[in-house]
Amino acid sequence: MSHSTTLIRPSERDGTGAAIAVHVLRPDAVQGALQSLSDLQSGYAEARGFAGEAGQTVVLPGEDGAVAAVLLGAGAKDSDLEREMRVGQLPGGLPAGEYTLASLPDDFSARLATIAWGMGSYRFTRYLKDAREPALLVVGEEVDVVGARAAVAATALGRDLINTPAGDMGPVALAKAARDLAQEHGAEYSAVVGEELLEQNYPMIHAVGRAAHEAPRLVELEWGDPDHPRLAVIGKGITFDTGGVNMKGASGARLMKKDMGGAAHALALSHMIMAAKLPIRLHCLLAIAENAVSANAYRPGDILDSRTGLTVEIDNTDAEGRLVLGDALCKASESKPALMIDFATLTGAARVALGPQLPPFFTNRDALHEPVSEHCMKELDPVWPMPLWQPYHAMLRSPIADMKNAGGRFAGAVTAALFLERFVADTPWMHFDVYGWNPSARAGHPKGADVYAVRGLFSWLAAGGLNTRLER
Ligand code: BES
Ligand code: MN
Ligand code: ZN
């Protein structure tokens, strides 16, 4: 699996020379831009009604009929949330060749437009015979090519892992992906597998994964200078979620290969941090299991022990993600990190609340709401804060255990987050309930697996986010 990218390359000393010019235009810039084209080309654009409307694309022919230039409308500035990401709609539709962003609206960043190009170029080709040549973007010195490539590569890594079907992305394969990443960056890799989970006190990861043909495991990566502030990044790695004994129906199960999406997000963020060599001591933890059904599966009504010592009555075996994460969060908190960030495809309720493009996030430090939301918005990677509404703890009450693993029909994303909060031991913590999937394509976001919040969080971390005052 390759997450390296040759979709973007720096220009050589002859500048962006022979590359095909792409002009991204807002409506008020169209007139001026057309005047600078040949009569043939401006006539061609006018005949097609090119007015710079959002998403409008015209491929201009040269005298020989080959592609000579490309026009892309960006729409009016005041109504534009898509911004640079709009550029991501181009590469999938253009013939192979070398392109360059010759003009951009004044308010666009060339860096984000470059990242959008790379994100829009993504295709999951592992099972395809015809891997067609992608359109290549040549960028000048004004763009940090290394940084842009890392963002694109991290996104592609996450997408590849999520898109890979469960038959080829079980617990063993997911752990191997983590190990490969560790090797690439010189991180330390370790794993606690199968029965060892019981010996080393991860009872909930074991219970969820014990019925599967590949053993559950807790995978850990450690990287960086121990003197730097410590960050834990944790991911839900359910390689397939059948729902367990409370089994999902056909439509509910159809996409559940993506239930390791949290682990994919955790690896994507880790990749960016390590590639940029941020001054952070990174601890990445993946709680990996397949939620399968077999004679030894855990059952509704069972009471599980947990790493913190809290007992959990199983109300529903389909609320498995919070169980595996509970043990992993507890383990992460034991090293007293400055911050823990977890990603999980945790609830259908998050998707009902905010849809697939806008992950809700929860934190036990309100000071994080604003800076994190702002960085994510700026990176065109938006997230939305949601409350850890304490009174809803009551929904997780069990008469015979410390709590149960599922609330009722209300506030499903909130009660799931409140469940997790019990395992973080007051460590500063953020939880992202990601969907990990685009039901349909939009600019920069091809249909299928996707990674959210990672570029935004990286931006916040690179700007020194771990120095935020987080004591209460
Ligand atoms: N992996 C699912 C959540 C999910 C479902 C995410 C669909 C995205 C799309 C999770 O394990 C789950 O099944 N959650 C249940 C919890 C319920 C039983 C309390 C849910 O959300 O229905
Ligand atoms: Mn489930
Ligand atoms: Zn799940």
Side-chain angles (χ1 to χ4, degrees), residues 24-287:
V24 184
L25 302 167
R26 295 209 184 275
D28 56 11
V30 169
Q31 256 341 87
L34 291 192
Q35 276 162 21
S36 70
L37 299 173
S38 70
D39 287 351
L40 170 78
Q41 291 179 348
S42 60
Y44 190 94
E46 265 163 23
R48 273 151 193 79
F50 183 78
E53 282 158 26
Q56 246 188 331
T57 310
V58 176
V59 176
L60 298 174
E63 303 288 342
D64 57 356
V67 177
V70 179
L71 304 179
L72 172 66
K77 183 177 167 182
D78 49 345
S79 58
D80 184 16
L81 273 179
E82 205 87 7
R83 300 181 47 81
E84 293 89 341
M85 197 52 74
R86 179 69 64 192
V87 170
Q89 81 178 57
L90 286 177
L94 291 175
E98 298 202 343
Y99 297 82
T100 188
L101 298 171
S103 36
L104 292 174
D106 306 337
D107 59 304
F108 270 29
S109 116
R111 177 184 68 88
L112 283 174
T114 300
I115 289 173
W117 180 282
M119 287 176 62
S121 302
Y122 175 84
R123 254 185 109 204
F124 182 57
T125 55
R126 176 163 168 177
Y127 302 92
L128 291 176
K129 301 287 171 296
D130 75 316
R132 108 189 143 79
E133 286 289 302
L136 184 83
L137 187 69
V138 183
V139 296
E141 275 163 12
E142 73 283 6
V143 176
D144 161 22
V145 181
V146 174
R149 275 181 160 169
V152 172
T155 306
L157 165 67
R159 287 170 174 174
D160 278 348
L161 293 173
I162 297 171
N163 274 324
T164 304
D168 290 326
M169 189 48 66
V172 172
L174 183 53
K176 180 178 181 298
R179 179 178 220 140
D180 290 348
L181 189 71
Q183 213 153 50
E184 181 182 337
H185 295 287
E188 236 172 83
Y189 170 94
S190 64
V192 181
V193 182
E195 297 302 304
E196 288 166 28
L197 288 165
L198 292 178
E199 288 148 30
Q200 297 192 36
N201 197 22
Y202 300 99
M204 297 199 294
I205 300 177
H206 183 268
V208 168
R210 72 189 184 208
H213 71 299
E214 288 183 9
R217 59 203 70 206
L218 177 75
V219 160
E220 291 173 86
L221 269 55
E222 288 262 10
W223 175 89
D225 185 340
D227 291 337
H228 287 150
R230 196 175 176 87
L231 170 71
V233 177
I234 301 108
K236 167 178 171 180
I238 299 295
T239 58
F240 194 82
D241 184 8
T242 65
V245 171
N246 295 114
M247 193 173 278
K248 290 183 185 295
S251 67
R254 179 64 182 87
L255 278 182
M256 281 301 123
K257 69 174 183 182
K258 78 176 174 70
D259 216 20
M260 34 56 72
H265 278 64
L267 290 176
L269 179 56
S270 298
H271 176 59
M272 286 192 80
I273 290 169
M274 295 188 290
K277 298 195 163 51
L278 289 191
I280 283 174
R281 172 66 179 185
L282 176 67
H283 186 193
C284 175
L285 302 94
L286 309 180

